[in-house]
Amino acid sequence: LNSKGEEITDTVDAANETAARQKIRKSGLYPVKISEQGKSSSSGSHISSLKHYAESVNEFISRNGAKKQVGLFSRQMATLLRAGMPLLTALNDIIEQIDNKTFKNIIIDVREKIEEGISFSSALARHSDIFSEIYINMIRVGENLGSLDEVVARLADMEQKRVFLLSRIRAALWYPIFMLTFSMLILVFLLVKIIPTISAIFVEQNRELPLPTKIVLGLSN
């Protein structure tokens, strides 16, 4: 409200609500209601939070998919380098064939850094969450020895074996994890639904219960 009591609505740039309130008062106005732009309602805030959560999940899935692209990328890179193609030209050709958006953006960033004069290994080190430390160090060794094509070919074999081993491990663990989860659900159902019914019978008998029975009843309670 201004000095005449008239209502004024406007936008003010401030670090937080307190700073905004002070800024409004210094201009000779009385703040009645302050809300962050884009978050004027609680429903809008919830929608924004859900959207942010969905984007985070999508980013997580995409980055996991990007890690699986390293083996194929290495194989393509080794083939092109062995054919005598320059590194930047090989990267440009590979970028056009990458389907995973996250991995494609990473390789584009690597190419741009190489164009700026940074070494291939240093450009990869900017994305250490995708390329392992061993991978980056072997690339650095290949650059120093002038045998980058051989090193990348060896890395391609290592990455493909690693992905294959991880898939085998996950497949082997899937059944035990499923059985353990199913067993836990059954156990919870028994403790929550069945045991309380049976415990009433023990209470009516008014007898001293064995220790294992007391433990089960305690867990149920």
Side-chain angles (χ1 to χ4, degrees), residues 73 76-77 80 87-101 103-112 115:
F73 165 77
Q76 292 173 325
M77 178 65 67
L80 295 176
L87 178 59
L88 283 173
T89 306
L91 286 173
N92 286 328
D93 288 350
I94 293 173
I95 287 171
E96 295 177 358
Q97 304 174 35
I98 299 175
D99 296 327
N100 185 282
K101 185 177 180 181
F103 191 70
K104 187 172 186 175
N105 291 334
I106 289 172
I107 301 304
I108 289 174
D109 178 73
V110 170
R111 181 197 62 188
E112 291 175 350
E115 290 174 344

Side-chain angles (χ1 to χ4, degrees), residues 40-54:
S40 56
S41 64
S42 58
S43 60
S45 178
H46 290 318
I47 292 173
S48 178
S49 299
L50 289 173
K51 185 178 180 181
H52 178 72
Y53 177 75

